[in-house]
Amino acid sequence: MTVTELVSYDEALATYDPVMGLEVHVELGTRTKMFCGCSTELGADANSQVCPTCLGLPGALPVVNASGVESAIRIGLALHCEIAEWCRFARKNYFYPDMPKNFQTSQYDEPIAFNGYLDVQLEDGEVFRVEIERAHMEEDTGKSTHVGGATGRIHGASHSLLDYNRAGIPLIEIVTKPIEGAGERAPEVAKAYVAELRELIKALGVSEARMEQGQMRCDVNLSLRPKGQKKFGTRSETKNVNSLRSVERAARFEVQRHAAVLSSGGTIVQETRHFHEEDGSTTSGRVKEEAEDYRYFPEPDLVPVAPSREWVEELRATLPEPPRERRNRLREEWGITEHEMQSVLNAGAVDLIVATIEAGADAASARKWWMGELARSANEAGVEPAALTITPADVARISALVAEGSLNDKLARQTIEGVLAGEGTPDEVVEKRGLAVVSDEGALGTAVDEAIAGNPAIADKIRGGKVAAAGALVGAVMKATRGQADAGRVKELILEKLGVEG
Ligand code: ADP
Ligand code: MG
Ligand code: ZN
């Protein structure tokens, strides 16, 4: 099936109704792995963070990471799930070179959390409820690198390298119930759901959930059924989609591909598919195993997990304000529109603005600097604004200097530039670069006197009542002070000295 054979999106939706299922894997930010004490730190030498347990050596015994269980419960609670009173791990048996034990320790029919929901907000403001089937604990696999081929894929490679540092890092898999009723907005719902889930995971502090680094990845299940039919069609499962935009594109492509197959009398095979970033297409992976192919059975080496109700309630009390509610609250406090809030969110500046306000700035100026000058600098440097070397406290200090009249906007921008260039704190930059507004009344008075003496004709006009002519003298003073004067105060002084009411 090539792209040219696709049915147009609108045509597909005129005949079929999409049903989706989203499976999201989140790598937890625990210090150690799920079943051993090995470090989870990224960037270490290959195979330097391994032990008999995560390498699956005979006789090694796993132990459950309590902090991993705690994160799983907090995620479950934040998704309005019930938390199991008792549950077990299970072995999911299959062979893969990057999985040294030949089974993945996962959960099967006894997940830690189940039956929840997440409300997501669509671009038009409508709230769509996505129901959660389950959230369960499991472990990540190692990483294979195929060497010698042109594409980095196994085909054409001369050999493969295996790094088991990632094997055993805790994962939480969050699975939705079939998402029905989204119609043409199914791809948008998929994207909004993953975006909201990512915000929630970050707010919980259980993972940085960076999709581009694979800390969070999504499998997109999709099927079509003829409009009016109750029974679901056969699904495809597009694996490991790793950006919000790709989630939306993958769902959209699958709608068009399924429609093309079904409309031409074909049948959809249940299979996994790979998503291709370059053109937004998917291609066939492997025909899907049935659950029984994995020969799941309860893990005999691990004790069951039976979180006490007291512990669950303690964890419930640690839940953050839900991100969507927090965004709506901040939007009202800052007095901005949904659209403006969306820009702040997209810029990754929400928490920075909050911190700047906490450090004493008013909402308007905090937003102005982070969304203006600083967003631009971050963009140019190709980093998130949070990675800039200026702190919210610095930005608050600059706002305060502007508010008290020590800096005007132009000087404030130069101060920011200095802080970003590593010249020191805002006060140090102002001092070193000599940026403060000339507020010394004596110096300013001299500059005004000189401007009046140098422009007698204009001065006469002003004396005669043409207050508007003062602009030319203000300009002369600003020029003489190289822009470092407060224009308002300069005008006052001119009128005062010429004996005119402002
Ligand atoms: P598997 O491990 O085989 O992928 P899961 O139950 O973990 O199975 O995940 C399947 C996902 O697909 C779930 O989100 C489920 O709600 C969804 N789903 C199941 N059947 C269909 C279907 N016919 N069409 C679309 N989504 C489906
Ligand atoms: Mg799956
Ligand atoms: Zn280990």
Side-chain angles (χ1 to χ4, degrees), residues 55 119 334 381 448:
L55 287 178
D119 285 337
W334 299 351
V448 169

Side-chain angles (χ1 to χ4, degrees), residues 81-102:
C81 288
E82 295 170 48
I83 304 301
E85 303 214 0
W86 189 94
C87 66
R88 276 182 300 194
F89 287 94
R91 290 190 183 185
K92 183 180 185 182
N93 297 283
Y94 61 102
F95 170 79
Y96 210 75
D98 61 17
M99 199 183 61
K101 296 190 298 189
N102 280 347

Side-chain angles (χ1 to χ4, degrees), residues 217-232:
R217 36 199 201 252
C218 179
D219 300 343
V220 180
N221 294 268
L222 189 133
S223 66
L224 294 184
R225 57 183 172 188
K227 281 200 155 165
Q229 177 183 307
K230 270 228 145 68
K231 190 168 172 281
F232 294 165

Side-chain angles (χ1 to χ4, degrees), residues 48-211:
S48 64
Q49 293 167 169
V50 293
C51 72
T53 298
C54 56
L55 287 178
L57 300 187
L61 283 176
V63 177
V64 178
N65 182 336
S67 141
V69 177
E70 177 177 308
S71 296
I73 296 175
R74 292 181 71 234
I75 290 172
L77 290 171
L79 292 170
H80 311 94
C81 288
E82 295 170 48
I83 304 301
E85 303 214 0
W86 189 94
C87 66
R88 276 182 300 194
F89 287 94
R91 290 190 183 185
K92 183 180 185 182
N93 297 283
Y94 61 102
F95 170 79
Y96 210 75
D98 61 17
M99 199 183 61
K101 296 190 298 189
N102 280 347
F103 62 83
Q104 181 187 28
T105 306
S106 181
Q107 293 196 286
Y108 181 48
D109 49 354
E110 299 162 324
I112 181 106
F114 50 94
N115 268 346
Y117 65 85
L118 181 63
D119 285 337
V120 305
Q121 199 155 351
L122 303 182
E123 252 149 51
D124 63 5
E126 197 193 308
V127 175
F128 191 98
R129 177 160 296 185
V130 175
E131 294 191 74
I132 307 291
E133 170 85 40
R134 56 197 269 145
H136 71 245
M137 301 179 280
E138 57 183 38
E139 59 179 338
D140 214 341
T141 55
K143 203 174 165 203
S144 328
T145 308
H146 306 298
V147 189
T151 59
R153 290 175 189 262
I154 196 161
H155 297 285
S158 59
H159 60 286
S160 299
L161 300 172
L162 287 162
D163 175 8
Y164 293 116
N165 283 353
R166 203 180 61 184
I169 289 190
L171 289 181
I172 302 298
E173 176 172 347
I174 301 153
V175 183
T176 68
K177 295 186 178 167
I179 302 169
E180 302 176 64
E184 77 217 26
R185 293 192 298 181
E188 190 197 341
V189 167
K191 177 179 165 193
Y193 167 76
V194 179
E196 193 63 31
L197 188 56
R198 188 181 61 174
E199 288 300 307
L200 184 65
I201 297 290
K202 286 199 288 190
L204 286 164
V206 295
S207 168
E208 289 176 37
R210 282 200 285 244
M211 295 187 80

Side-chain angles (χ1 to χ4, degrees), residues 243-267:
S243 76
L244 295 179
R245 180 164 172 262
S246 300
V247 167
E248 184 169 24
R249 290 170 85 204
R252 217 182 148 86
F253 182 90
E254 282 300 283
V255 166
Q256 293 179 259
R257 188 184 67 83
H258 282 228
V261 172
L262 296 172
S263 302
S264 64
T267 45

Side-chain angles (χ1 to χ4, degrees), residues 281-489:
S281 70
T282 68
T283 52
S284 181
R286 60 185 155 87
V287 172
K288 187 72 188 175
E289 292 84 355
E290 295 296 329
E292 56 264 30
D293 295 333
Y294 289 118
R295 295 287 186 269
Y296 278 103
F297 66 85
E299 167 60 62
D301 287 345
L302 286 167
V303 291
V305 176
S308 76
R309 297 301 96 177
E310 293 74 39
W311 190 35
V312 170
E313 288 319 306
E314 265 170 42
L315 294 178
R316 197 191 298 280
T318 69
L319 295 184
E321 183 181 11
R324 192 173 58 85
E325 286 168 30
R326 175 170 184 254
R327 281 198 306 276
N328 286 337
R329 173 176 62 77
L330 292 174
R331 189 173 56 70
E332 276 175 25
E333 284 174 14
W334 299 351
I336 62 176
T337 64
E338 295 253 6
H339 186 74
E340 286 167 326
M341 191 66 201
Q342 195 60 43
S343 311
V344 173
L345 188 68
N346 293 344
V350 177
D351 294 333
L352 293 166
I353 294 174
V354 168
T356 304
I357 294 169
E358 273 167 12
D362 64 275
S365 56
R367 193 166 67 88
K368 170 179 144 180
W369 294 119
W370 283 110
M371 293 303 289
E373 203 61 16
L374 293 165
R376 247 193 315 282
S377 304
N379 222 337
E380 276 164 23
V383 297
E384 290 282 303
L388 291 173
T389 53
I390 192 165
T391 64
D394 291 337
V395 178
R397 176 64 184 149
I398 292 168
S399 301
L401 291 171
V402 173
E404 73 185 34
S406 306
L407 292 178
N408 55 28
D409 272 16
K410 182 176 151 224
L411 296 169
R413 277 197 295 277
Q414 292 175 17
T415 308
I416 286 175
E417 188 186 291
V419 175
L420 291 176
E423 292 168 27
T425 64
D427 290 283
E428 286 164 359
V429 173
V430 167
E431 167 81 33
K432 280 189 215 160
R433 291 196 177 192
L435 293 179
V437 163
V438 177
S439 53
D440 169 348
E441 291 279 315
L444 214 50
T446 310
V448 169
D449 288 340
E450 282 166 5
I452 291 172
N455 299 279
I458 298 173
D460 275 343
K461 271 195 202 162
I462 299 169
R463 282 196 196 89
K466 265 202 90 186
V467 175
L473 293 189
V474 172
V477 174
M478 294 305 283
K479 199 168 165 209
T481 57
R482 299 199 320 279
Q484 290 179 228
D486 173 358
R489 179 66 192 137

